[in-house]
Amino acid sequence: MIRRRDFFTGLALSVGVLPVPAWAQSADWEFIEARARGQSVYFNAWGGDPQTNAFLDWIAGETKARHGIDLVHVKLTDTAEAVTRVLAEKAAGRSTGGSVDLVWINGPNFVAMKDQGLLSAPFATDLPNWRYVDKRKPSNLIDFTIPVNGLESPWRIAQVVFVYDEARTPLAGLPKTASAMLDWAEAHRGRLTHPNARNFLGATFLKQALVGLVPDRDILQQAATDATFQTAAAALWSWYDALRPHLWHDGRDFPETGATLLQLFADGEIDTAISFNPAEAANGIANGTLAKSARVHVLDGGTIGNTSFVAIPYDAAHRDGAMVIANLLLAPEVQARAQDPAVLGSFTVLDLAALDPTQRAMFQKVDDRAGMPTNAQLGAPLLEPHPSWMTRITGEWERRTSQ
């Protein structure tokens, strides 16, 4: 049994964060599990991806079998729907019995809930499986420049990779930096493009270039101002103005989505494509949409990435059950299953060095899938810039490409 005092002592030593919340001092984990049994937990999560929905269906079965909790997946089209609902409950004066027990969240929605006092007391570092979380990956502790401070618990990682076909274009011939990408595009006219920057993946292409070109990355962790944006983005636009004429269709047209971009790659119209899913090649090989020789790589110096989290609203009706589910999402066997491209292809938030040999072996089995990079090959993702940089980059890209 994990006693509260030992648990928090370990946390304080390992991450140096957070006083023990008052509500937690009187309970141990077994007591939380006992209170959670029989609860129905309303997990509000984006429902637009069949693979993720199927994975959460499996989680629901495990939650029922292991803990006697009914997990109800409330499928959202936009996470802001859940934020709006909790905000309305607060405006109505409700302090308990809320309609959202657990929410899949990150980035601006996390900031909105935190700033408006819509989140429960810190809970993530209370979870027994928190000891496995990789604290060396900044995105597990900082959500789009905002420290998490235990208010949300990580469960999956997305990171920029570039898909290529090693039978068509060997890795040695592909660019590994933003600067080298310009030289490569000049030598391979029309063989590179990116989604429209109004699409998040198109904006990510430009953010990745900005991170690689800006003299001081730290400035990207602060909200952009007119002055900092003009100075820091100057190298980006100089680079992009030189790159654009050498892109697919002479830089006049852009794929609308990441799926369209990947289809261009699969059809052989371009030689490499950005993706935010490290398992993109493995997924494509598994479902037959990409050649068996498809692979992914990251740039020298790393690529940006972000972590998806779950959070508990301040008025959650079933906070104990929500904590048990958040803990289950961090279980090594669950994380290994999520990383399997045949299931979800979502990379782990865990530190494999913290696992025992049997637990690590579950991830090795996944790493052996064709097209799947290892966690070591991906490296730690670089932090996302503050959301204000994306807004400004998108606006400036639209202004330049509309001329």
Side-chain angles (χ1 to χ4, degrees):
M1 182 174 72
I2 297 172
R3 310 305 304 185
R4 306 303 292 177
R5 180 175 300 176
D6 294 341
F7 184 55
F8 281 106
T9 299
L11 288 172
L13 291 173
S14 62
V15 298
V17 296
L18 301 178
V20 179
W23 66 265
Q25 294 177 0
S26 62
D28 60 32
W29 185 251
E30 287 187 349
F31 185 48
I32 290 173
E33 287 185 311
R35 288 192 306 204
R37 187 167 291 277
Q39 292 183 347
S40 294
V41 174
Y42 289 83
F43 184 8
N44 286 241
W46 180 61
D49 176 41
Q51 270 192 303
T52 300
N53 293 342
F55 179 74
L56 293 183
D57 284 346
W58 178 80
I59 287 290
E62 293 298 302
T63 302
K64 182 69 173 179
R66 299 187 191 191
H67 302 288
I69 297 170
D70 290 316
L71 186 159
V72 181
H73 180 188
V74 180
K75 296 183 175 69
L76 306 175
T77 56
D78 189 322
T79 303
E81 297 169 22
V83 178
T84 300
R85 202 175 324 133
V86 177
L87 182 61
E89 290 168 356
K90 185 170 186 178
R94 177 179 289 181
S95 58
T96 59
S99 61
V100 180
D101 293 313
L102 190 67
V103 58
W104 174 9
I105 195 171
N106 72 345
N109 287 309
F110 167 64
V111 175
M113 293 194 76
K114 182 180 180 183
D115 288 350
Q116 297 178 83
L118 302 181
L119 294 173
S120 178
F123 72 96
T125 53
D126 297 359
L127 306 176
N129 286 332
W130 173 260
R131 66 187 186 276
Y132 299 129
V133 171
D134 192 343
K135 287 88 175 177
R136 296 169 302 176
K137 290 183 176 176
S139 67
N140 284 342
L141 305 175
I142 300 173
D143 189 352
F144 281 78
T145 75
I146 307 299
V148 170
N149 290 337
L151 291 170
E152 51 183 5
S153 176
W155 74 286
R156 62 192 291 187
I157 281 182
Q159 184 174 346
V160 166
V161 294
F162 288 85
V163 186
Y164 69 102
D165 186 331
E166 64 178 359
R168 284 175 16 203
T169 314
L171 179 59
L174 289 169
K176 309 300 189 307
T177 65
S179 297
M181 191 176 291
L182 174 57
D183 296 335
W184 185 90
E186 288 175 347
H188 301 82
R189 190 179 181 94
R191 306 299 297 172
L192 175 71
T193 191
H194 61 81
N196 187 311
R198 290 188 293 274
N199 176 275
F200 87 94
L201 191 58
T204 299
F205 178 87
L206 297 173
K207 284 192 296 181
Q208 177 63 50
L210 176 64
V211 168
L213 294 167
V214 68
D216 178 12
R217 289 180 184 170
D218 290 345
I219 199 171
L220 304 180
Q221 296 304 301
Q222 307 296 324
T225 65
D226 290 344
T228 58
F229 184 74
Q230 183 174 7
T231 301
L236 169 67
W237 298 121
S238 176
W239 172 84
Y240 190 73
D241 288 345
L243 176 74
R244 186 181 165 200
H246 304 289
L247 297 178
W248 178 75
H249 283 194
D250 301 324
R252 297 191 304 271
D253 303 314
F254 297 91
E256 287 297 321
T257 66
T260 307
L261 177 74
L262 201 61
Q263 189 61 55
L264 290 178
F265 170 75
D267 293 342
E269 291 200 46
I270 56 176
D271 290 327
T272 184
I274 190 173
S275 171
F276 223 141
N277 180 6
E280 191 77 82
N283 285 346
I285 294 171
N287 62 30
T289 58
L290 294 180
K292 293 181 180 178
S293 47
R295 298 291 184 270
V296 299
H297 76 97
V298 297
L299 302 181
D300 292 346
T303 52
I304 57 177
N306 61 64
T307 297
S308 287
F309 297 88
V310 291
I312 302 174
Y314 79 100
D315 63 343
H318 307 106
R319 185 169 59 190
D320 297 307
M323 288 181 67
V324 170
I325 293 172
N327 187 59
L328 179 61
L329 288 170
L330 292 174
E333 69 277 14
V334 172
Q335 287 279 306
R337 180 180 175 86
Q339 191 162 311
D340 187 340
V343 176
L344 192 57
S346 184
F347 269 70
T348 185
V349 298
L350 304 186
D351 177 2
L352 299 190
L355 306 182
D356 65 35
T358 301
Q359 293 168 329
R360 276 196 297 276
M362 293 187 291
F363 289 88
Q364 182 61 50
K365 182 179 178 182
V366 173
D367 287 347
D368 291 340
R369 299 292 184 101
M372 197 72 169
T374 65
N375 290 278
Q377 288 171 329
L378 287 176
L382 304 177
L383 287 173
E384 286 268 11
H386 188 278
S388 58
W389 289 89
M390 180 169 167
T391 302
R392 287 175 178 265
I393 285 173
T394 301
E396 179 61 15
W397 180 85
E398 288 187 303
R399 187 188 70 79
R400 287 170 177 264
T401 56
S402 64
Q403 294 176 344

